[in-house]
Amino acid sequence: MVATLSVAVPKVKLKHPPLRIYRMGDKVLRQPAKRVSQINEEIRQLARDMLQTMYSFDGIGLAAPQVGIPKRMIVVDLYPDKPEVPPLVLINPEIREYIGEAVAGQEGCLSIPGVFCEVMRPEGIVVSFKDETGRPRILRADDLLARVIQHEIDHLNGVLFVDHVENELVLDQELRKHGFQMQDVQRKGKPSAAPR
Ligand code: NI
């Protein structure tokens, strides 16, 4: 077999995805992730497994901590129905600049399945990262792509989208409806009452 730097995998739903997705309440989602020091075949295989898992659960973004691996790496694909569009792998991503106004948008998360709420985020960003080949890159992202990248980078810092939701009442209802609890939310400046 010839070695390849590509991380492209078929954009299909597997009955048995390669990785398990951790859910809100699991501690790994609240740990800050560590930088990736070497971009090698092991990292590329992780990217493939993450993508395959993401496609299997209808996600458009996934961060390594969500599969229990506290590394600073995310995968994004806004076009799961377009096989010709390659996915994005962002290793050690850093937001360099925020652009424009904060705008409201609906978000969900594979670690909090079923829960959807509105979150305010800057509409554009400039992000630096290394891709799966180790090449340094800078990307200007707007709208949905900017939102997804910000959401996924939050995961690398132990932050979940529900932490940003302003309407506590709506959030509480939405969480309960899907079997989650308000005590696992860490609102800004208000750490969760019950450490676990
Ligand atoms: Ni998420």
Side-chain angles (χ1 to χ4, degrees):
M1 202 175 112
V2 181
T4 170
L5 294 181
S6 168
V7 294
V9 296
K11 300 188 183 186
V12 294
K13 288 181 203 182
L14 299 180
K15 208 169 159 196
H16 301 287
L19 301 168
R20 157 189 174 195
I21 296 183
Y22 287 73
R23 296 193 172 191
M24 182 165 75
D26 280 316
K27 268 192 280 185
V28 67
L29 292 177
R30 292 304 191 177
Q31 290 166 7
K34 293 205 171 83
R35 288 178 65 81
V36 175
S37 53
Q38 230 194 340
I39 298 170
N40 51 25
E41 182 50 28
E42 193 187 323
I43 286 294
R44 281 187 287 277
Q45 190 53 45
L46 174 59
R48 290 179 199 112
D49 288 346
M50 284 172 62
L51 284 163
Q52 199 92 77
T53 304
M54 182 183 83
Y55 294 132
S56 297
F57 290 104
D58 278 329
I60 53 173
L62 188 66
Q66 292 183 272
V67 295
I69 297 170
K71 290 187 182 195
R72 303 192 76 82
M73 169 163 148
I74 68 180
V75 296
V76 174
D77 190 345
L78 299 191
Y79 306 100
D81 296 325
K82 294 186 181 170
E84 70 279 11
V85 180
L88 274 173
V89 177
L90 290 80
I91 298 165
N92 301 330
E94 273 181 52
I95 296 176
R96 299 293 175 174
E97 208 184 312
Y98 291 100
I99 298 158
E101 312 261 299
V103 287
Q106 186 93 340
E107 295 189 23
C109 181
L110 294 181
S111 294
I112 320 172
V115 174
F116 292 90
C117 285
E118 227 166 58
V119 177
M120 299 290 290
R121 297 196 190 263
E123 63 183 341
I125 52 167
V126 175
V127 61
S128 67
F129 60 98
K130 285 190 174 172
D131 68 17
E132 66 274 19
T133 70
R135 189 164 75 100
R137 291 178 58 175
I138 290 194
L139 175 72
R140 158 84 192 255
D142 295 283
D143 305 320
L144 182 59
L145 182 58
R147 180 170 294 278
V148 173
I149 291 174
Q150 290 178 76
H151 173 123
E152 300 311 329
I153 290 178
D154 270 353
H155 276 298
L156 305 182
N157 299 318
V159 174
L160 302 175
F161 85 94
V162 288
D163 302 347
H164 298 301
V165 173
E166 277 163 29
N167 192 330
E168 212 163 323
L169 237 75
V170 168
L171 177 61
D172 187 30
Q173 273 183 1
E174 184 72 3
L175 288 173
R176 285 165 191 272
K177 216 189 331 174
H178 298 281
F180 294 97
Q181 308 175 48
M182 202 64 186
Q183 69 169 40
D184 291 321
V185 176
Q186 293 181 2
R187 298 170 67 76
K188 242 189 252 166
K190 288 195 236 166
S192 162
R196 44 193 287 165

